[in-house]
């Protein structure tokens, strides 16, 4: 033995220390992985040694490796070994390793519960400290549940060091185990007034974190926090509290009113930027929460904006960034205040840091008005031109467009200007992704603003004629997308195009074939529209358009060669049509009007969601089969056949020798085309939606036809307007308008003088800027009867904080007590489902309770709160000066209202009092004050101690669920027991009986024992090999009118017969005086029906039919309910709920149901409603089970 | 709430990684790399804040080391920045003129410092003297 020890220590000399490992890794930079794998092998050997020191050293090395990214999860068990070492040094290493590499899926964590509990309770408070540290990193729901009580106990530890940690970690506990929040909350609240400031701040941290997610539950704490805010000097805490208020104010505007003053004081006085920033944020939040017009808070806004301006002007980039961020918050509600600083924000666009520039852009977005839109966009255009980095440029372009089109083009007064801006954007060099965006904007404007169509058509025609300028950049950017819009606009509004023939010629240039195919498609289609107009105009000339027809026929064949089907098809259609027209023209029979009516009718914009909003007509079931569903057996063959057939016909149709195409006569062709045109015209998706074009494969062409073009084309196209020109024009126009207005105003009567002055304060009312054109913005079409829903696209996501949305004001019930370690197993059972099920009913009760409680107990709480009102009113820092004078006043007011609203409402009245009382009085009473205050504090503590006790009086306990499987097992004057049976998945012979014990008496009930007389078939499972007649201890006692649930397990060897078990419950009733206890007894009969062994098992209809046809289920039984008024639906509901069937399929007025027993018996039911009755046929593989189930069905049907 | 604390050098070697949210190992490595990519490209002219996934990173560079804290978007950036500085000052005091090698060879001590100053994603202790005191006490225990 001694030898072994010596050998061990000699070995240790050769072990690598941590230092060696670190140094070694640094020396093996080239083959680190190899070196590490060697080290890991060594470590594995070390871990096998018995010496804890060696193990700890090995684990320490592992931590380092883990940090470098190597997997050490294989050592989880060794880490636990080291954690359990009694020596602090090793324990620390173990916990550190655990906190670094354990996570909720680490299965060995299950082993640690007791060890952690031991460490938490350790004498050495450092042990508790490291245990808490570690736990904060690897906590799991299981650990949280099992250790919640211990942590809660640590919150009252005598050492601030431990208290603080316990408080902080409680947040993690709540997250993992929300049920702990309510029982722990009173204690957490106490910690807000802990003597140690560190603990206080920890509690503030935790509550802030909780409240941020579910603020409404913490509103009642506002007075406490208010007091803390006015008394604390710790900026870290202040920041948290102020942030918390920021979350609370939206819920309670009166709170904001109270906050404004102290916050503005802080803003004026603090030198800490972080605090200043937080204050501004919360003030902004407060101001947002005010409904407009209620008060004038211009001064606070001004203050905030001024301070933010200082931040933005600061050379520190961080402050600049945050300033802009906060500005954007103000902007939402007070745009005017921010707009004054436009210059500053425009400056920020030049900043080096992209995040600052992007923030500034965001701000500009909200700052635009009719007045400054053009100016801002002009500045942005300059930035686009000189922006470096394509990402930022993209962002700029999309922002410009966003700014202009926001709110349905609200701020645009001159659409000609907007169109020219868009055209200018197409000429920006090197932008990549916004061609589509610009294109859709142009389309949108042209279609929806009727008065701009002529202008747009002109511009687009120019653009098309100069398409080479755009296409020269073709392979670098996506700007050719704009040609799509251009072609469409020119075609659709062809009547405005000056010379359609020239345009047509421009469009059929061979170069057009290098465009993406979906654009070519649109080209072709719109050439036809232009052609129609051109013919119409040529009607009076000698030519009559024959020349055009001919030249078109010459040019079009290049499109027929396109590899894109769509283009090919359109081109060949058009060509055929042209040939036909030429024939007619030569004969002199051609009617232009007939031809142009092909393109009659106007297209209206359709709202993007319109299709989805079309209401489903009554009587239309979209899920129903139109034809009979294909039978499953022949499925494969049929499909195969179909496929063959399809292929054959496909080949027939498309084979080059096919004659089919010629089978259509020209007239038919015409007709077909007309139909298609009409259909396309009526089809909103045809032009607007990207999706519809998906099949055209936009990118296909761009590669195939890559032609190197000379780039020396001037980018500025003569004849295209410059947006600057419009900007200047607009300026002039406005100047003129203003002059006119001034003249008018002078003429105006003086009667409205007062109102006018208000207007003049803000120079130039926005509404006064009249748009250049009479703009009629057409709204997007929506189907009739569409319902407006904005939140359609929200998809619910998982949020752990939702679970923490718990009403904290309602009193605690006994069932909510945290599980105690003693009864761990039974406690576990209690926590499961039943809690959740009862919740809805419980909550209601809590609310009632709450109101009730407020009436009775608000008085003591109030006096507490009123003190704080005074505290904040004193400005001099003598915070408790006026308290005693106030007492008298308070007493009178006390009973008026409930606490919080009282605190919030009466502040204004209070203000006057201290002023009246004056300073002289204060000094006299300075000595008395302290003693009185102490008294009050005592009072306060008492009332606080009371509140949790009050909380424990639980609500009366009738279950209010409408359908409940719980049935009364036994009842007497003291107690009622209800029970429900549950099956345990994958347990063939066990079921659980869940009993709810309700204390009906006013005394304490304890030592409850439960016993039944086992039968041969059914036995109660007793723990730890207890004899078959021993009673089972129920692991809880019941305070007056409390209820709790306990689960007992039974074995059943056969499940085909119902069982009745005789049993007794014994319990002790404690007198109110706590001196006598009486033993009482309650007999019962536990009825376990066959349905207790059934598990609702979902089954597909296929498998159901298979089962029925397999011959397995041979036993039959049936029953008919005559003259029953129960509907099929409610029958099914009852069967599913009480007898645990699952509906397999419901067709018309019959339904098939299925369930299986825990021993895998099948039970099938067919439920049909016949006349005014319901017939039920059952099938099963066990006749006795079936007949018993049918008996139950009868019972259920009759109740 | 702090989601994680990272100390990295310019080459992206991790010097400390403290996680207050549960990630699996691959995710951790991915995060470390992403943070490195995001942070090292920024120079002194940039802000110390980066938007990062659903969070934001507040970082500060000391010599060749980046101290990064990942927090919720609603948290106070400046307070985090101050927390970092506070932390670095404590390190400096504790190691007497701290340098990267101190952190490498005594990495477990750095974790202890972190644990003294932060817990469960919240700032636990801000007083430097108190932290140093505790650290010395802990050191004496070993």
């Amino acid at each position: 033995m001694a030898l072994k020890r010596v050998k061990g220590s000699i070995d240790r000399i050769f072990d690598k220390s941590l230092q060696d490992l670190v140094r070694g890794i640094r020396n093996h930079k080239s083959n680190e992985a190899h070196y590490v794998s060697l080290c890991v092998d060594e470590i594995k050997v070390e871990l096998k040694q018995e010496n804890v020191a060696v193990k700890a050293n090995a684990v320490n090395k592992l931590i380092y490796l883990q940090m470098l990214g190597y997997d050490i999860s294989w050592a989880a068990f060794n880490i636990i070994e080291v954690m359990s070492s009694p020596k602090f040094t090793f324990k620390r290493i173990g916990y550190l390793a655990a906190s670094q590499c354990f996570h909720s899926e680490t299965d060995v964590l299950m082993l640690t519960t007791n060890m952690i509990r031991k460490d938490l309770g350790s004498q050495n408070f450092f042990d508790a400290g490291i245990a808490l540290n570690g736990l904060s990193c690897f906590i799991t729901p299981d650990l949280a549940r099992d250790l919640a009580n211990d942590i809660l106990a640590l919150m009252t530890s005598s050492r601030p060091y431990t208290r603080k940690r316990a408080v902080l970690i409680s947040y993690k506990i709540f997250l993992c185990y929300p049920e702990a929040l309510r029982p722990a909350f009173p204690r957490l609240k106490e910690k807000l007034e802990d003597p140690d400031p560190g603990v206080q701040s920890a509690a503030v941290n935790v509550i802030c974190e909780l409240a941020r997610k579910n603020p409404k539950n913490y509103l009642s704490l506002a007075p406490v926090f208010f007091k803390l805010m006015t008394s604390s000097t710790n900026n870290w805490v202040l920041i948290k509290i102020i942030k918390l208020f920021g979350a609370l104010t939206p819920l309670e505007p009166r709170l904001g009113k109270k906050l404004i003053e102290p916050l503005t004081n802080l803003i004026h006085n603090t030198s800490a930027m972080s605090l200043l920033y937080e204050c501004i944020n919360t003030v902004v939040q407060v101001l947002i929460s005010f409904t407009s017009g209620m008060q004038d808070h211009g001064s606070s806004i001004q203050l905030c904006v001024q301070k933010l301006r200082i931040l933005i002007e600061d050379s520190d980039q961080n402050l600049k960034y945050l300033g802009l961020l906060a500005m954007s918050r103000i902007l939402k509600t007070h745009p005017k205040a921010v707009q004054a600083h436009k210059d500053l924000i425009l400056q920020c666009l030049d900043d080096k840091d992209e995040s600052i520039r992007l923030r500034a852009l965001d701000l500009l977005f909200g700052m635009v008005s009719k007045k400054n839109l053009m100016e801002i966009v002009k500045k942005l255009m300059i930035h686009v031109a000189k922006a470096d980095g394509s990402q930022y440029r993209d962002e700029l372009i999309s922002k410009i467009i966003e700014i202009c089109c926001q709110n349905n083009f609200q701020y645009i007064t001159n659409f000609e200007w907007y169109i020219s801006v868009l055209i200018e954007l197409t000429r920006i060099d090197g932008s990549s992704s916004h061609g589509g965006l610009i294109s859709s904007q142009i389309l949108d404007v042209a279609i929806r603003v009727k008065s701009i169509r002529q202008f747009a058509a002109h511009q687009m025609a120019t653009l098309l004629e100069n398409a080479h300028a755009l296409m020269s950049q073709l392979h670098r950017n996506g700007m050719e997308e704009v040609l799509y819009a251009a072609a469409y606009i020119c075609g659709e509004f062809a009547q405005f195009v000056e010379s359609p023939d020239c345009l047509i010629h421009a469009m059929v240039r061979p170069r057009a074939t290098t465009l993406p195919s979906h654009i070519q498609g649109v080209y072709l289609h719109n050439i036809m529209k232009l052609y129609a107009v051109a013919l119409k105009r040529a009607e009076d000339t000698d030519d009559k358009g024959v020349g055009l027809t001919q030249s078109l026929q010459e040019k079009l064949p290049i499109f027929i060669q396109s590899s894109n089907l769509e283009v090919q098809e359109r081109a060949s259609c058009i060509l055929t049509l042209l040939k036909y027209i030429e024939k007619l023209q030569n004969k002199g029979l051609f009617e232009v009007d007939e031809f142009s009516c092909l393109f009659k009718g106007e297209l209206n914009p359709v709202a993007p969601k319109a299709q989805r909003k079309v209401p489903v007509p009554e009587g239309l079931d979209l899920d129903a089969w139109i034809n009979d569903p294909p039978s499953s057996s022949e499925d494969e063959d049929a499909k195969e056949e179909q496929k063959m057939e399809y292929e054959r016909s496909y080949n027939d149709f498309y084979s080059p020798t096919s004659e089919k195409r010629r089978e259509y006569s020209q007239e038919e062709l015409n007709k077909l085309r007309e139909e298609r045109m009409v259909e396309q015209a009526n089809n909103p998706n045809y032009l607007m939606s990207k999706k519809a074009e998906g099949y055209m494969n936009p990118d296909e062409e761009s590669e195939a036809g890559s032609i190197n073009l000379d780039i020396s084309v001037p980018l500025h196209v003569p004849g295209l307007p410059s947006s600057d020109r419009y900007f200047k024009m607009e300026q002039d126009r406005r100047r003129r308008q203003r002059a006119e207005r001034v003249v008018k105003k002078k003429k105006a009567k003086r009667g409205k003088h007062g109102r006018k002055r208000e207007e003049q304060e803000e120079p130039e009312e926005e509404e006064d800027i009249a748009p250049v054109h009479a703009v009629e913005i057409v709204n997007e079409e929506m189907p009739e009867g569409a319902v407006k829903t904005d939140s359609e696209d929200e998809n619910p996501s998982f949020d752990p904080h939702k679970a923490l949305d718990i009403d904290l004001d309602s009193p605690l019930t006994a069932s909510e007590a945290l599980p105690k370690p003693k009864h761990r197993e039974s406690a576990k059972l209690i926590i499961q489902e039943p809690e959740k099920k009862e919740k809805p009913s419980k909550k209601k009760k809590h609310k009632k309770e709450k109101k009730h409680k407020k009436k009775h107990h608000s008085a003591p709480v109030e006096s507490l709160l009123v003190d704080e009102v005074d505290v904040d009113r004193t400005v001099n820092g003598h915070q408790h000066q006026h308290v005693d004078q106030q007492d008298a006043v308070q007493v009178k007011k006390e009973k008026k209202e409930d606490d919080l609203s009282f605190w919030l409402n009466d502040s204004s009245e209070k203000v006057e009092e201290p002023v009246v009382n004056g300073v002289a009085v204060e000094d006299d009473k300075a000595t008395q004050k302290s003693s009185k205050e102490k008294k009050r504090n005592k009072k306060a503590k008492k009332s606080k101690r009371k509140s949790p006790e009050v909380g424990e009086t639980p609500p009366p306990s009738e279950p209010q669920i409408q359908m409940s499987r719980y049935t009364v097992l036994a009842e007497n004057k003291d107690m009622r027991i209800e029970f429900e049976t549950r099956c345990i998945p994958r347990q063939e012979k066990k079921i659980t009986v869940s009993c709810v014990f309700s204390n009906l008496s006013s005394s304490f009930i304890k030592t409850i024992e439960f016993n039944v007389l086992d039968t041969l078939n059914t036995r109660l499972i007793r723990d730890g090999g207890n004899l078959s007649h021993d009673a089972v201890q129920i692991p809880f006692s019941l305070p007056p009118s409390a209820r709790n649930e306990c689960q007992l397990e039974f074995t059943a060897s056969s499940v085909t017969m119902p069982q009745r078990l005789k049993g007794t419950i014994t319990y002790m009733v404690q007198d109110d005086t706590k001196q006598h206890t009486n033993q009482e007894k309650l007999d019962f009969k536990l009825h376990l029906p066959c349905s207790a062994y059934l598990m609702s098992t979902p089954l597909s209809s296929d498998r159901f039919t298979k089962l029925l046809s397999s011959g397995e289920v041979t036993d039959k039984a049936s029953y008919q309910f005559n003259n029953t008024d129960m509907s099929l639906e409610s029958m099914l509901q009852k069967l599913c709920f009480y007898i645990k069937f699952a509906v397999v399929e419901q067709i018309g007025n019959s339904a098939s149901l299925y369930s299986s027993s825990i021993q895998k018996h099948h039970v099938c039911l067919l439920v049909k409603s016949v006349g005014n009755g319901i017939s039920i046929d059952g099938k099963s593989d066990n006749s006795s089970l079936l007949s018993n189930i049918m008996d139950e069905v009868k019972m259920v049907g009759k109740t | 709430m702090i989601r994680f604390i990272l100390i990295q050098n310019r080459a992206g070697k991790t010097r400390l990684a403290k996680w207050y949210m549960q990630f699996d190992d691959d995710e951790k490595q991915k995060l470390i790399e992403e943070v490195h990519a995001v942070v090292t490209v920024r120079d002194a002219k940039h802000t110390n804040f980066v938007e990062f996934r659903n969070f934001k990173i507040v970082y500060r560079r000391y010599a060749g080391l980046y101290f990064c804290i990942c927090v919720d978007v609603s948290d106070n950036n400046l307070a985090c920045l101050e927390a970092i500085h506070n932390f670095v000052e404590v390190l400096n005091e504790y190691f007497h003129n701290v340098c990267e090698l101190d952190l490498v060879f005594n990495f477990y001590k750095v974790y202890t410092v972190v644990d003294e100053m932060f817990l469960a994603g919240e700032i636990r202790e801000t007083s430097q003297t108190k932290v140093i005191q505790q650290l010395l006490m802990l050191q004496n225990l070993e």
Side-chain angles (χ1 to χ4, degrees), chain A residues 988-1040:
Chain A
E988 286 201 359
K989 298 206 165 167
K990 268 193 208 169
I991 57 163
T992 313
V993 175
S994 172
C995 297
V996 178
F997 294 78
S998 320
N999 188 344
L1000 303 179
S1001 71
S1002 56
S1003 18
F1004 204 81
I1005 296 180
K1006 57 180 192 176
T1007 347
I1008 308 166
E1009 290 186 351
F1010 180 97
N1011 201 0
V1012 290
L1013 220 59
D1014 290 348
T1015 62
L1016 276 177
N1017 186 25
T1018 312
R1019 292 166 201 273
L1020 175 62
I1021 299 177
R1022 297 161 165 92
D1023 281 344
N1026 282 348
L1027 292 172
S1028 63
H1029 46 77
D1030 280 348
V1032 173
Q1033 278 270 349
I1034 304 297
F1036 49 77
S1037 43
L1038 290 172

Side-chain angles (χ1 to χ4, degrees), chain A residues 524-544:
Chain A
L524 286 171
H525 192 81
N526 285 293
I527 283 171
M528 285 316 283
K529 297 182 193 166
L530 284 166
Y531 175 64
V533 173
L535 285 185
K536 178 89 184 156
R537 289 193 192 164
E539 219 175 349
D540 307 329
T541 61
D542 310 332
D543 184 354
K544 301 247 180 221

Side-chain angles (χ1 to χ4, degrees), chain A residues 11-21 39 42-43 46-47 51-65 78 82 89-94 97, chain B residues 107-108:
Chain A
D11 277 348
R12 278 202 64 194
I13 298 172
F14 298 106
D15 287 348
K16 269 202 194 78
S17 74
L18 178 65
Q19 256 67 19
D20 296 332
L21 176 81
C39 290
E42 280 173 20
I43 289 170
E46 283 167 34
L47 285 175
N51 191 330
V52 189
V54 179
K55 271 187 194 169
N57 184 44
V59 169
N60 213 0
K61 288 190 274 187
L62 282 179
I63 304 173
Y64 186 76
L65 294 179
N78 303 99
V82 177
T89 323
F90 304 145
K91 193 182 276 300
R92 187 187 55 73
I93 292 173
Chain B
F107 78 93
Y108 55 94

Side-chain angles (χ1 to χ4, degrees), chain A residues 18-20 22-23 25-26 32 60-61 63-64 66-73 88-89 92 96 99-105 124-126 129-130 132-134 136-140 161 164-166 168-169 171-172 175 196-198 201-202 205-206 209 212-213 234 236 239-240 243 272-275 277-278 316-319 321-322 325 329 351-356 359 801, chain B residues 1-3 7 9 13-26 28-29 32 42-51 56 58-60 71-86 100-112 114-127 130 133-142:
Chain A
L18 178 65
Q19 256 67 19
D20 296 332
V22 175
R23 216 164 280 142
I25 289 179
R26 292 172 70 82
E32 188 185 292
N60 213 0
K61 288 190 274 187
I63 304 173
Y64 186 76
Q66 197 266 349
M67 195 170 75
L68 294 184
Y70 294 94
D71 175 39
I72 64 160
S73 52
F88 177 77
T89 323
R92 187 187 55 73
L96 177 57
S99 68
Q100 289 303 101
C101 79
F102 286 6
H103 46 85
S104 48
E105 271 105 66
N124 181 352
F125 68 96
F126 282 112
I130 53 168
L132 285 173
N133 274 345
S136 75
C137 293
F138 56 72
I139 195 153
T140 64
Y161 181 84
K164 195 160 47 171
R165 284 171 195 250
L168 276 177
I169 204 168
Y171 176 61
K172 290 268 171 182
L175 272 186
D196 184 87
S201 92
N205 273 346
V206 170
E209 212 53 52
R212 225 188 275 185
K213 300 300 190 296
N234 182 341
W236 302 93
I239 287 174
K240 283 278 174 185
K243 191 179 276 305
M273 281 301 177
S274 46
L275 183 57
Y277 178 64
E278 203 59 60
D316 186 344
Q317 297 281 57
N318 294 334
L319 297 184
Y321 173 80
L322 292 177
L325 206 63
R329 263 177 226 143
D351 200 279
K352 285 254 162 51
D353 187 349
E354 202 172 287
S355 50
I356 289 182
R359 288 284 145 244
H801 300 288
Chain B
M1 185 186 150
I2 299 171
R3 300 302 167 144
I7 305 179
N9 68 6
K13 279 261 184 268
T14 315
R15 293 304 172 216
L16 173 125
K18 187 82 196 174
W19 309 92
Y20 294 105
M21 241 175 119
Q22 299 198 345
F23 300 104
D24 59 27
D25 288 347
D26 296 341
K28 282 181 186 173
Q29 277 313 307
I32 288 174
R42 302 171 67 86
D43 62 21
K45 290 197 185 87
H46 286 77
T47 54
N48 294 57
F49 319 127
V50 199
E51 280 156 30
K56 62 187 173 194
V58 179
Y59 75 96
R60 195 153 178 168
V71 289
D72 291 343
V73 180
S74 58
D75 277 321
N76 187 316
N77 298 24
L78 293 173
C80 295
L81 213 55
E82 279 165 41
I84 293 179
H85 191 67
N86 199 18
E100 188 177 343
L101 280 186
D102 285 326
L103 303 192
V104 176
F105 284 104
N106 299 301
F107 78 93
Y108 55 94
K109 286 188 186 165
V110 185
Y111 278 105
T112 323
V114 171
D115 284 341
E116 281 304 314
M117 300 187 72
F118 306 91
L119 181 72
E122 298 293 335
I123 297 166
R124 203 196 81 206
E125 182 59 74
T126 49
S127 149
K130 266 193 193 167
Q133 236 174 8
Q134 295 287 3
L135 287 172
L136 293 179
M137 272 172 79
L138 279 172
Q139 214 171 12
N140 289 336
L141 277 180
E142 299 193 7

Side-chain angles (χ1 to χ4, degrees), chain A residues 379 503 570 924 968 1013:
Chain A
K379 292 243 166 73
L503 190 56
R570 287 191 190 194
D924 300 340
V968 177
L1013 220 59

